[in-house]
Amino acid sequence: MQMLSPRRAALAAALSLFAASAFAAPVTYKLDPNHTNVLASWSHFGFSNPFANFGQVDGTLVYDAEDVSKSSVEVKLPLAGLNSFTADFDEHLKSADFFDAAKYPEITFKSTKVESAGKGKLKVTGDLTVKGVTKPAVLDVTLNKAGVQPLAKREAVGFDATTTLKRSEFGVDKYVPNVSDEVKLQITTEAVVPKPEGEKKE
């Protein structure tokens, strides 16, 4: 077996280290609104448990599989995309009784810390802003899959997440406690590495 000279060995080691660090670097993804649902559910006088979807999501996700603490997420949920599957109720939810969408047109979440919670599990803490009020929120997150998305032919990652919030803390307190103060959020999202600028859309 041919031995490498000290100089070549050092160069090979440096290239190997560079390649490893490049592979482990955080990857930036764009959330796919067509494959993202943010579902809120609550109790209505104890009779039913309705839910609504916050669609039209816009956001960026940075994920570092080697060091999850370097990961982050920033999301905007335009209230124009709120869908309770009943048009009249959509308008009521967007009114000043609830979200006052004319004055506060979007909900935002910006992570402040990402921690490992076991294999394939994360705990994401961030600032949630609803109706002009910002409060901390913690998401329990499950990594579904990371790899090449076959249709987009680009790297993608998918997560599910859950949390429970008290809507009254954000000034959305109409009909509490008959309509439950606690709102459960169930999130599923897919995010894809954006195409390079100038490349034609599929």
Side-chain angles (χ1 to χ4, degrees):
M1 184 172 65
Q2 185 178 3
M3 299 293 291
L4 292 175
S5 68
R7 184 177 178 181
R8 286 188 176 182
L11 179 59
L15 288 173
S16 175
L17 182 63
F18 174 79
S21 63
F23 179 77
V27 180
T28 299
Y29 303 86
K30 184 73 174 176
L31 296 185
D32 179 0
N34 293 329
H35 298 95
T36 298
N37 295 118
V38 180
L39 295 173
S41 63
W42 59 93
S43 171
H44 186 257
F45 292 84
F47 291 106
S48 62
N49 296 286
F51 57 88
N53 180 43
F54 293 85
Q56 300 181 11
V57 62
D58 179 29
T60 300
L61 187 154
V62 178
Y63 181 60
D64 189 329
E66 299 300 317
D67 184 357
V68 297
S69 67
K70 294 179 181 176
S71 304
S72 63
V73 62
E74 189 166 352
V75 181
K76 293 179 182 178
L77 297 173
L79 287 168
L82 177 60
N83 181 11
S84 69
F85 311 102
T86 305
D88 289 346
F89 191 37
D90 288 347
E91 293 307 310
H92 193 194
L93 287 174
K94 293 174 187 176
S95 75
D97 278 353
F98 291 98
F99 290 107
D100 198 359
K103 188 175 181 180
Y104 306 100
E106 63 186 21
I107 294 170
T108 64
F109 178 81
K110 185 175 183 179
S111 65
T112 55
K113 181 166 60 173
V114 178
E115 305 168 273
S116 174
K119 187 176 181 180
K121 303 288 185 180
L122 301 171
K123 190 172 289 290
V124 179
T125 302
D127 292 327
L128 177 65
T129 301
V130 180
K131 209 173 179 180
V133 178
T134 301
K135 296 281 186 180
V138 180
L139 302 177
D140 294 315
V141 180
T142 299
L143 170 64
N144 295 328
K145 185 176 182 179
V148 176
Q149 209 269 22
L151 296 179
K153 297 180 176 60
R154 299 193 303 281
E155 289 294 324
V157 67
F159 296 93
D160 280 0
T162 61
T163 192
T164 300
L165 307 168
K166 284 192 173 184
R167 60 189 180 95
S168 62
E169 293 183 350
F170 297 91
V172 187
D173 56 1
K174 189 76 170 180
Y175 305 127
V176 170
N178 293 311
V179 177
S180 64
D181 194 5
E182 285 195 344
V183 175
K184 296 178 181 178
L185 292 184
Q186 292 179 279
I187 303 163
T188 190
T189 188
E190 189 172 316
V192 184
V193 171
K195 280 191 172 185
E197 288 187 15
E199 187 173 334
K200 290 183 179 180
K201 292 184 178 180
E202 296 163 344

